[in-house]
């Protein structure tokens, strides 16, 4: 899987693009607006695979196919799949025994596939392979007797899934540098850390540093477990935020990686950074008198929503679009074997 390691942020040139050019002529007295479009943005390889898993499962088994939790944190994606016959549920006990069920890209505690197996259900695990990798690492450390310190956000499904790989009490969760200071562990020389994949790179770096300061023998990844997509989208925002009067992040309030992009933009010089799920949510008052606007999209937000925003902007401004490319990505993941073509 060497091709997965596309984390380096190469300096690539900005390009002027004619994205979704206006279909009708616009009045020329509209104010000018220069859009800085972050690249990479939007779907990552894990999201792409998870959506494909739902579509292929529907093709293979017919509707309805059940999905435990939003397959990815985006209403547009969920509603598009519902229209094709997917039924989204919170818990496995809402799924009949005789229909296939898919587990979301964020990962699930071990008890969930175990229960599906007990009920003889057909299940397809859409957990991103990069999340599964964190699960396996945590298990490996646990087997060697280490207590795991997980850096992540309490209650997030990925965190619930990672904690649920191990028996109760095997994982301690920390969310902040302060949590590290107050952490109480039985054997401080026998620890390992792991992280959620969608955290702020900079905030997590500080927490890892605090962990290494307090527990110098702690084992763990070289840096953290934040994935290539999270890293690249944050780096792209860092490149455009200082040049933008305002910035829109396409994404959902429950999308960890999208919310992090808003925070990164604010820290890097764009205080008017806003999360929007659709063009209809844009607060136009906050965009009044701006000359430049940054746009990006979280890993679960489809490009069609970026196009929708550009079209809405063209109704109000004379828009020029510059795509600012800070990295290129060529990551893709295979589908689970149960769905492989026969
Ligand atoms: O950013 P989070 O983890 O909330 O998820 P998302 O669905 O918005 O984006 C895709 C990321 C994952 C599936 C988590 S690895
Ligand atoms: Fe996988 Fe990263 Fe996408 Fe999560 S954000 S699904 S870890 S590629």
């Amino acid at each position: 899987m060497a091709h997965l390691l596309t984390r380096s942020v190469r300096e690539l040139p900005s390009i002027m693009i004619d994205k979704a050019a206006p279909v009708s002529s616009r009045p020329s007295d509209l104010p000018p607006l220069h859009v800085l479009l972050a690249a990479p943005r939007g779907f990552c390889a894990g999201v792409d695979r998870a959506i494909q898993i739902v579509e292929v499962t529907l093709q293979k088994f017919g509707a309805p196919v059940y999905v435990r939790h939003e397959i990815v944190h985006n209403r547009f994606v969920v509603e598009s799949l519902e229209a094709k016959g997917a039924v989204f549920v919170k818990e496995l006990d809402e799924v009949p025994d005789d229909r296939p069920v898919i587990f979301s890209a964020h990962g699930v505690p071990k008890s969930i596939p175990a229960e599906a197996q007990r009920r003889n259900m057909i299940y397809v695990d859409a957990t991103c392979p990069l999340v599964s990798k964190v699960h396996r690492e945590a298990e490996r450390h646990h087997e060697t007797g280490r207590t795991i310190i997980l850096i992540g956000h309490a209650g997030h499904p990925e965190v619930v899934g990672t904690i649920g790989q191990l028996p109760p009490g095997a994982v301690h969760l920390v969310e902040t540098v302060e949590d590290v200071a107050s952490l109480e562990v039985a054997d401080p020389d026998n620890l390992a850390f792991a992280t959620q994949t969608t955290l702020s790179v900079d905030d997590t770096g500080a927490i890892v540093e605090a962990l290494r300061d307090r527990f110098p023998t702690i084992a763990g990844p070289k840096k953290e477990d934040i994935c290539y997509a999270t890293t690249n989208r944050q780096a792209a925002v860092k490149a455009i935020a200082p040049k933008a009067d305002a910035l829109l992040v396409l994404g959902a309030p429950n999308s960890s990686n999208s919310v992090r992009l808003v925070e990164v933009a604010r820290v890097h010089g764009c205080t008017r950074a806003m999360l929007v799920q659709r063009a209809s949510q844009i607060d136009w008052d906050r965009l009044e008198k701006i000359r430049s606007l940054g746009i990006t999209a979280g890993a679960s937000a489809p490009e069609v929503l970026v196009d929708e925003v550009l079209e809405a902007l063209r109704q109000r401004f004379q828009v020029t679009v510059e795509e600012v490319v800070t990295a290129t990505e060529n990551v893709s993941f295979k589908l689970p074997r149960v769905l492989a073509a026969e």
Side-chain angles (χ1 to χ4, degrees), residues 47 72-73 105-106 131 156 158 197-198 254-258 299-300:
V47 164
V72 298
H73 291 147
H106 315 91
V131 175
H156 187 280
E158 184 183 337
T197 56
T198 55
N254 62 339
S255 168
S256 166
N257 79 88
S258 306
S300 46

Side-chain angles (χ1 to χ4, degrees), residues 44-47 105 128-131 158 197-198 227-230 257 299 333:
C44 61
V47 164
C128 176
L130 299 181
V131 175
E158 184 183 337
T197 56
T198 55
C227 75
Y228 78 95
T230 301
N257 79 88
F333 297 123

